[in-house]
Amino acid sequence: MSTDEQADGENGDVHAERSAGKRFADYPRRAKSGWRRWIPSWKLATVLCLGFVGGVLGVATVAYALVEVPDPTRMAQAQSNVYYWADGKQMASTGGEVNRQIIAADQIPGAMQNAVISAQNKSFRTDSGVDAMGVGRALVDMVGGTESQGGSTITQQYVRATRFSGEPRSLGGKFRELVVSAKVGGNMAKPTILAGYLNTAYYGRDAYGIQAASHAYYDKDARQLNVGECAFLATLLQDATHFDPAGAVTTDPAATPAANTARAEQRWAWILDEMVKDGHLAAPERATFTHFPIPRPIAKAAKPGGQVGYLVDLATAYFLKNNGKGITSDNLAHGGYEIHTTFDRRDVAMLESAVKQARKAHINPAQRPDTDTHVQFGGASVNPATGAIVAVYGGEDAAQHIGNHADETGVPVGSAFTPFVLAAALRDGVRDPEGEPEQGPSERTIVDPDKSLYSGLNKLKIKNYDGSPWKSEKGEEWLQANDGGASYRDITLRDAMARSVNSPFVQLGMDIGIPTVRQAAEDAGLLKSSLNTSSVPSFSIGTSSPSVIRMATAYATFAADGQHWEPFSVEQVSHNGRTEYRHEDKPARAFSKDVAATVTDVLRSVVDEPDGTGNNARLPGREAAGKIGTTDGNKSAWFVGYTPQLSTAIDMYRLDESQTAKSRRFLGMYGTGGAGKARGGSLPSEIWRIYMTHALSGQAR
């Protein structure tokens, strides 16, 4: 075939392809070959872009036309949060009355309006109500799985408070918020928007709106606020939980009064400086505000009393920490949540009854004012098979007392810590005295609680694992005393546990290594933050201060054959019919079944042996394992024990709750309850026995 003929043939093929029929879109492109066929033409790309933009604009236009402008008096009404017992019966309903009073814009100080504008949205008076760049950043953050609080003008925040309050952040929600904000910005006057925002925003302390906040923090009408007070209230709109100087430790342990005050003072000063920069405050007037306007203490609010108040606080804190959707205390404050807890109402009532019974029988401040005043008890009960917290005793009355005694109180656990030392000795073993300080499993020796002998002498000179005397940084040796000055020669670890002899476990801890003992306690379930960071010998006999909830949980690990379940207090949470949280967890293997079984067997000796220090906790017809805890100075007394069905911890201490945080100190309990010395084997074990006897009635032995 000639060249001309070949060219004619190719041209004919192209012509035939082009004549085969026109397509709506020439893609893949017919006239191109290879990779060029897959590159859209500029015409096609332009059409696609215009179509996409048009589609988005069309959806936005329809949405814009359909949405309503928010009405703060009608749409920003808080609902109750309802808490349920484990059996589904209602336990408490909170937040039913909305602490809000809508006031006119001219009653809101100009300083308050300007402080918020300077702090949150400098362009508020001239912008369209939507910060497109900020929204973009927020959407990117959410797609990336991080929580973003940015990308919101005052208009958007007003819309969120009135139309989307209580809803967790989502891409769809952000789009709806954007559309409504655009309409509000185009249809409402700026002063109306700003007043609406300040009248509906949450300021903490159950205060919605500037008028309620003014009374909650300064006990005055909003129109009477000065510039400094306005600047502080503006800080609360950033995050009331972390800027209220009174603190909010029930919702976030990091929100202490000291930390919150420091944050509030810093942001308060910054807002005043920004007001000067923006022309809202004269520099000479700014210079007069040298002292942070400390708000008044929190007035006692109507909250559930008795034990229910403690339960509500625990469940609330747990949900806020673990919901995984960014639901905050501000969301929860708007209400509408149904919170199903793990608390067994029968067990809660029984635990409270057991404490009251023991208190009535033994504690008499009128007769013994020097020893029986300020006596406090804490208690918690956990299901070893799941980690569910079934009961707590948080104090005499949540409406009358500050703090929850079932949570962290700073009370040292004493010798109730020694089972973790034993568990470490059984799992990890003691070090070879001829080896290096850091040793692996092959160099260590597993102990036998019935054959390994340790000196039980009173004031035993404690040694390092290699036999050299342990000395402090000052060169002082450690002489470990036993409770009551009791002294024993060589003694098995079982007998030492049963009789609560301290010196063998202090030396055992040194032979194992304090870091290894600490790790065993963490694996069992104690929080690292509650464990003493010191490596002094006394670490092994309980210088740490875990909560009773965590102690019950850690002992439950032994009851569950070495499987550790994290404690939890909430099974499920729903909001407006949508499930927002469902508890899911898997156990972690902390100890082998053999190690857990051996620890349990040794702890049964504490309860069963005639001279066991815990025999006051014997349960009729049922085996139980447990350990008492006493501390130096007789500052606390514990009993922690368990059966396969239930693990319970009880502590007792003296603390004057009226003391300020800086002056708080635990008082000695010599003579408390009419006894020479308060011990874990007395009142705590008595409360434990009374409660467990009733709580386990009807259950398999």
Side-chain angles (χ1 to χ4, degrees), residues 413-427:
V413 71
S415 50
F417 190 86
T418 53
F420 308 123
V421 184
L422 177 61
L426 294 169
R427 183 187 70 177

Side-chain angles (χ1 to χ4, degrees), residues 578-600:
R578 182 179 62 216
T579 299
E580 297 290 358
Y581 171 79
R582 190 185 304 277
H583 176 74
E584 295 180 0
D585 194 15
K586 293 181 180 180
R589 171 62 66 183
F591 308 101
S592 69
K593 288 185 177 181
D594 288 343
V595 168
T598 301
V599 172
T600 296

Side-chain angles (χ1 to χ4, degrees), residues 1-11:
M1 179 182 295
S2 68
T3 303
D4 291 340
E5 290 175 332
Q6 184 177 357
D8 289 341
E10 290 176 352
N11 290 335

Side-chain angles (χ1 to χ4, degrees), residues 82 273 328 379 474 582 643:
V82 182
D273 291 340
T328 67
K474 296 181 180 180
R582 190 185 304 277
T643 68

Side-chain angles (χ1 to χ4, degrees), residues 414-639:
S415 50
F417 190 86
T418 53
F420 308 123
V421 184
L422 177 61
L426 294 169
R427 183 187 70 177
D428 304 301
V430 297
R431 292 174 287 182
D432 180 355
E434 302 297 328
E436 297 296 322
E438 297 294 329
Q439 297 183 17
S442 62
E443 301 168 276
R444 291 172 173 264
T445 302
I446 301 300
V447 303
D448 185 321
D450 295 307
K451 295 180 180 178
S452 300
L453 298 176
Y454 274 80
S455 173
L457 292 176
N458 185 47
K459 296 186 177 180
L460 177 69
K461 182 184 294 186
I462 300 302
K463 301 176 181 179
N464 293 310
Y465 81 98
D466 60 4
S468 62
W470 185 91
K471 292 183 179 181
S472 68
E473 292 181 356
K474 296 181 180 180
E476 299 170 337
E477 295 183 338
W478 190 280
L479 302 179
Q480 181 58 51
N482 288 327
D483 188 28
S487 191
Y488 306 84
R489 295 194 65 80
D490 290 349
I491 187 173
T492 66
L493 294 174
R494 180 187 296 276
D495 287 343
M497 187 75 77
R499 300 178 186 183
S500 199
V501 184
N502 291 335
S503 53
F505 286 99
V506 172
Q507 185 58 59
L508 177 62
M510 299 303 293
D511 293 348
I512 299 167
I514 299 301
T516 303
V517 173
R518 185 181 288 110
Q519 187 61 55
E522 286 185 47
D523 294 342
L526 299 189
L527 293 176
K528 183 177 183 178
S529 59
S530 72
L531 296 176
N532 195 316
T533 58
S534 171
S535 292
V536 298
S538 59
F539 176 85
S540 294
I541 52 172
T543 56
S544 299
S545 53
S547 69
V548 290
I549 291 176
R550 282 289 169 173
M551 283 298 288
T553 298
Y555 274 49
T557 299
F558 301 130
D561 294 329
Q563 294 270 46
H564 167 63
W565 292 87
E566 274 293 290
F568 69 102
S569 56
V570 177
E571 287 279 7
Q572 180 178 321
V573 177
S574 60
H575 182 256
N576 294 333
R578 182 179 62 216
T579 299
E580 297 290 358
Y581 171 79
R582 190 185 304 277
H583 176 74
E584 295 180 0
D585 194 15
K586 293 181 180 180
R589 171 62 66 183
F591 308 101
S592 69
K593 288 185 177 181
D594 288 343
V595 168
T598 301
V599 172
T600 296
D601 187 57
V602 171
L603 294 183
R604 282 177 179 158
S605 298
V606 176
V607 178
D608 292 340
E609 292 295 327
D611 55 355
T613 52
N615 55 28
N616 191 39
R618 289 178 184 171
L619 300 176
R622 189 185 297 270
E623 285 191 330
K627 181 69 178 71
I628 72 166
T630 53
T631 58
D632 290 341
N634 203 210
K635 299 295 177 62
S636 65
W638 291 70
F639 187 81

Side-chain angles (χ1 to χ4, degrees), residues 66-79 98 100-102 158-159 161-165 180 188 196 199-200 334:
L66 293 177
V67 299
E68 297 179 3
V69 173
D71 178 357
T73 62
R74 177 171 63 89
M75 304 178 75
Q77 298 301 307
Q79 307 172 58
V98 182
R100 178 193 288 115
Q101 180 183 351
I102 303 296
Y158 167 57
V159 167
T162 54
R163 282 292 299 270
F164 305 104
S165 63
V180 178
M188 292 178 68
N199 272 321
T200 55
H334 284 88

